Amino acid sequence: MLLDLLREAFPKGSTVPKSFYEARKIVKCLSLGYDTIHACENDCVLFRKQYANADVCPKCNTSHRKTSKKSLDGKRVHKVPRKVLRYFPIEERLQKMFMSPKLANDVRWHDEGRTKDGLLRHPADSPDWKHFDNTYPEFAADSRNLRLTLATDGFNPFRLMNCSYSIWPVVIIPMNLPPWQCMKQPNFILSLLIPGPNSPGKNMDVYFEPLVDDMHDMFEEGVRTYDSSKDEYFQLHAALQKTITDFPGLGYVSACVTSGKVACPHCHSYTCSIHLKNGGKCCYMGHRRFLDANHKFRFDAASFDGNVELGTAPKPLTGEEIFKQTEDLPADFGKDTKKKKTKPNSKGKETEEKIIWNRRSIWFRLRYWKDVMLPHNFDVMHIEKNVCDNIINTLLGIDGKSKDNLNARLDLKLLDIRKYLHPVEVGDSYYLPPAPFSMSSEEKKLFCEVLKRIKFPDGYASDIRRHVHVKEKRIIGLKSHDNHILLQHLLPLAVRKTLPEYVSAVLVRVSNFFKKIYSPVISISDMEKLDAEIAETLSLLETIFLPAFFDIMVHLMAHLPTQVRISGPVQYSNMYPIER
């Protein structure tokens, strides 16, 4: 009916297709179709190349296809693949960028139109980009060669809370374009559609295979492309330089561990973590080692864990070091190859090996991957959201979400630090002494009333007031951008009258930190100062909040200035445009 309406609306002789079948034929002629690649139900292999004609999976022996329906006589059986990967060939889509003269000119903007004054406004200004140019000068010789970013995240396409379905689109973003076009949706290129219903998890490398093969060819051989802006043919090359994911997705894409004792990819085996027996989770403190060697906090044992800190900040692993560490790791995929739990040793204790890598990442098939300075970026959006949630829920004492509860106080007692906060037994229950950040019922109500009266200019932010419940003294249902506005602009206003000055001052420092991180123009010297400031801010937070407050997302704040200094402004490595 829609096609009939379009044919009536357009003049005679228009090429509006008459059916869905004709529309698909037109799209396919424009090389905008996709390839269907059958996959094992258990994510073991793709049925391509040597497995193209296999009837069963070579690893788990699961049947390639399943019976969909039978005819009435029972003789004809219709079989369909159990799982199908959609792959949108990347070469053809990159070639089409040069069919538009304007877009072909914009691809060269990073070399011809960029301001080169030492400040970081674009990934082309970053040390990572320049290091790649110096390492591969033949690639950098032609400014039309594309630098790409890969982004992926899982979502439920059915918008149903009672339906747990996870499908993973993989998007390619050309980074050559100017800032006002780079992270815009029209320039996003869908390359893979990884099917559900379950997340591929650690088996995601299986689905990256066709993309990695094409990216290898695009870098080594290139593809002959017509440049409409110069009216000439040239050999187009492309290189993948970084990935954008949330933190669990970073573990899937980079093959590293993102939970447990070595959850920080930046600190790797030197991650400073403590397992909280009563809380059942790990906390990540020890931020004094990121301070200057002579900083007074290093020698203040009483305010911290009772020890003097003489350690140094760990250095992140280079691509060469990761390549060597994962050289002998097997790349076994599938649900039946997951590792078993650690078995107790002869003394009855569990063996706890610091396993950093799950496997050799598929990205190392690309010759240049080990030379990328920062291939996997921390997503500032999710870090900011989690930090804001931790602060708000703890200040308001939200049940089940606050980081200050009986288990947190019992863990404090086991660690034998800050004795004035230890729980006191009163009969069959416990009395929890007020913490420095504790607020009375009236103070919590005042805190919520301040946020309830906030008004914003039209289009600046959503109406946060509808998430604030003054009577219940709760703030619920905040989205990522709501947390962004709340942490950077509203929290300093709300804590000034409700918390002691030394507590509110530290929270204001956290707010200012994220304001500076989101700056569109970055000075490397400013980021070096911010690196020292956030180490001091996190150390101050350790003297105020309980160990349970310091989950991995709070710890990752310490590494954001280094990431910005290497990779460029955060708007080019943020999940906001991807999730939208």
Side-chain angles (χ1 to χ4, degrees):
M1 292 173 63
L2 177 61
L3 293 175
D4 291 339
L5 176 64
L6 289 174
R7 283 199 305 276
E8 292 178 4
F10 283 89
K12 294 182 180 181
S14 62
T15 57
V16 177
K18 297 180 180 179
S19 65
F20 177 69
Y21 175 72
E22 285 191 10
R24 287 185 63 183
K25 287 176 65 177
I26 294 175
V27 170
K28 193 171 183 180
C29 291
L30 295 173
S31 299
L32 293 175
Y34 60 85
D35 299 333
T36 57
I37 305 173
H38 300 174
C40 172
E41 187 179 25
N42 295 324
D43 305 327
C44 299
V45 296
L46 296 180
F47 292 100
R48 62 192 291 265
K49 293 185 176 180
Q50 68 269 32
Y51 304 129
N53 298 320
D55 294 327
V56 295
C57 174
K59 292 188 177 181
C60 65
N61 292 324
T62 303
S63 176
H64 179 176
R65 294 179 174 85
K66 62 181 179 180
T67 302
S68 175
K69 57 184 178 180
K70 295 183 178 180
S71 60
L72 296 176
D73 57 5
K75 293 181 179 180
R76 290 175 296 171
V77 178
H78 182 60
K79 291 187 176 183
V80 297
R82 293 180 180 271
K83 188 176 282 191
V84 178
L85 169 71
R86 271 81 177 180
Y87 174 54
F88 301 79
I90 190 66
E91 294 181 357
E92 299 168 350
R93 281 157 175 79
L94 295 181
Q95 284 179 303
K96 280 178 173 51
M97 292 181 64
F98 294 88
M99 296 298 291
S100 164
K102 183 179 184 306
L103 192 56
N105 276 321
D106 290 338
V107 167
R108 304 192 305 272
W109 176 90
H110 70 94
D111 184 51
E112 300 172 359
R114 176 170 56 92
T115 302
K116 303 175 183 178
D117 57 359
L119 298 176
L120 306 184
R121 297 183 177 86
H122 187 270
D125 300 315
S126 66
D128 189 11
W129 188 296
K130 295 175 182 177
H131 172 73
F132 194 87
D133 284 351
N134 295 331
T135 308
Y136 298 97
E138 67 282 358
F139 180 86
D142 193 339
S143 60
R144 293 174 291 190
N145 289 335
L146 296 171
R147 322 292 181 101
L148 307 176
T149 291
L150 179 142
T152 184
D153 196 11
F155 77 105
N156 186 347
F158 303 111
R159 296 178 178 268
L160 299 175
M161 296 299 292
N162 60 348
C163 176
S164 58
Y165 192 99
S166 180
I167 189 169
W168 288 68
V170 178
V171 176
I172 296 295
I173 307 170
M175 305 305 291
N176 297 45
L177 301 175
W180 52 90
Q181 294 184 21
C182 193
M183 300 302 290
K184 299 297 183 181
Q185 185 178 344
N187 297 316
F188 290 0
I189 303 172
L190 181 65
S191 62
L192 290 169
L193 207 55
I194 302 176
N198 300 317
S199 167
K202 297 177 182 179
N203 302 318
M204 190 171 285
D205 280 4
V206 172
Y207 297 97
F208 286 147
E209 283 183 4
L211 176 62
V212 171
D213 290 345
D214 279 356
M215 290 305 304
H216 175 271
D217 294 339
M218 285 294 294
F219 184 79
E220 300 295 345
E221 301 174 6
V223 58
R224 190 169 183 266
T225 304
Y226 175 71
D227 184 354
S228 58
S229 65
K230 292 188 174 183
D231 191 22
E232 65 181 19
Y233 283 90
F234 74 105
Q235 200 70 8
L236 173 64
H237 296 266
L240 186 68
Q241 287 203 276
K242 65 180 178 181
T243 64
I244 305 175
T245 56
D246 57 9
F247 194 61
L250 186 146
Y252 303 153
V253 173
S254 66
C256 70
V257 175
T258 55
S259 62
K261 291 187 175 293
V262 287
C264 178
H266 191 283
C267 297
H268 46 94
S269 59
Y270 298 102
T271 302
C272 184
S273 61
I274 303 173
H275 180 73
L276 302 177
K277 183 177 180 181
N278 293 284
K281 296 182 179 180
C282 284
C283 70
Y284 307 88
M285 298 193 298
H287 296 103
R288 289 184 293 164
R289 59 182 177 159
F290 294 96
L291 296 169
D292 293 336
N294 297 321
H295 199 285
K296 62 181 181 179
F297 284 171
R298 283 181 172 268
F299 309 99
D300 185 3
S303 300
F304 293 91
D305 58 1
N307 299 314
V308 174
E309 180 60 71
L310 300 177
T312 58
K315 294 182 179 180
L317 295 172
T318 64
E320 287 282 357
E321 291 172 335
I322 298 173
F323 184 80
K324 291 179 181 178
Q325 288 185 8
T326 60
E327 192 171 8
D328 298 327
L329 291 181
D332 292 332
F333 301 105
K335 295 178 182 178
D336 58 336
T337 60
K338 289 186 177 180
K339 297 181 180 179
K340 297 180 181 180
K341 295 182 179 180
T342 55
K343 295 182 179 179
N345 57 20
S346 58
K347 295 183 180 180
K349 298 180 181 180
E350 289 189 350
T351 57
E352 297 178 349
E353 296 181 3
K354 291 188 175 181
I355 301 174
I356 309 172
W357 311 107
N358 296 315
R359 63 191 184 278
R360 162 67 70 84
S361 174
I362 193 173
W363 303 114
F364 282 109
R365 294 186 187 178
L366 304 175
R367 175 167 60 94
Y368 56 84
W369 192 251
K370 63 182 182 300
D371 299 311
V372 179
M373 294 180 65
L374 192 63
H376 305 289
N377 288 253
F378 297 136
D379 174 35
V380 182
M381 184 194 80
H382 283 97
I383 294 175
E384 186 180 38
K385 173 177 169 44
N386 281 269
V387 170
C388 183
D389 284 341
N390 279 7
I391 293 174
I392 297 299
N393 293 331
T394 303
L395 294 181
L396 296 179
I398 306 298
D399 291 338
K401 295 183 178 180
S402 172
K403 301 299 181 180
D404 181 18
N405 49 41
L406 178 58
N407 286 333
R409 297 295 182 95
L410 291 174
D411 286 323
L412 201 65
K413 187 175 182 179
L414 286 177
L415 295 173
D416 196 24
I417 57 176
R418 299 164 68 184
K419 296 182 179 181
Y420 63 93
L421 293 178
H422 291 183
V424 180
E425 291 190 40
V426 181
D428 295 335
S429 61
Y430 287 91
Y431 166 71
L432 303 182
F437 53 83
S438 299
M439 293 191 293
S440 64
S441 180
E442 290 299 320
E443 289 172 333
K444 291 179 182 178
K445 188 174 181 181
L446 176 61
F447 182 91
C448 293
E449 286 177 347
V450 171
L451 300 180
K452 191 71 173 178
R453 294 195 294 266
I454 293 293
K455 294 182 180 180
F456 293 111
D458 186 32
Y460 183 79
S462 66
D463 190 1
I464 296 179
R465 295 175 298 176
R466 56 193 172 93
H467 300 292
V468 181
H469 304 273
V470 178
K471 291 183 179 179
E472 296 84 356
K473 297 180 282 292
R474 291 169 60 92
I475 303 175
I476 58 175
L478 294 175
K479 301 295 184 181
S480 297
H481 192 263
D482 297 332
N483 283 280
H484 173 78
I485 297 297
L486 179 60
L487 183 59
Q488 293 196 20
H489 302 286
L490 307 184
L491 184 65
L493 301 175
V495 299
R496 284 190 303 175
K497 295 183 179 180
T498 57
L499 291 175
E501 184 177 353
Y502 73 98
V503 177
S504 61
V506 178
L507 295 179
V508 170
R509 290 182 63 155
V510 174
S511 175
N512 291 335
F513 167 76
F514 280 103
K515 285 182 181 178
K516 293 177 182 178
I517 280 292
Y518 273 93
S519 176
V521 181
I522 301 292
S523 170
I524 293 180
S525 60
D526 289 345
M527 285 298 108
E528 290 173 348
K529 294 177 183 177
L530 192 61
D531 214 347
E533 287 178 12
I534 190 57
E536 187 173 278
T537 302
L538 288 170
S539 299
L540 288 170
L541 288 173
E542 288 185 20
T543 65
I544 298 172
F545 290 91
L546 306 184
F549 178 85
F550 297 91
D551 57 19
I552 187 60
M553 303 303 280
V554 174
H555 167 74
L556 291 179
M557 292 168 59
H559 304 308
L560 291 181
T562 301
Q563 173 177 304
V564 173
R565 195 167 68 243
I566 295 174
S567 185
V570 297
Q571 64 257 34
Y572 301 99
S573 56
N574 222 339
M575 284 294 289
Y576 274 116
I578 311 305
E579 291 204 345
R580 284 169 179 164

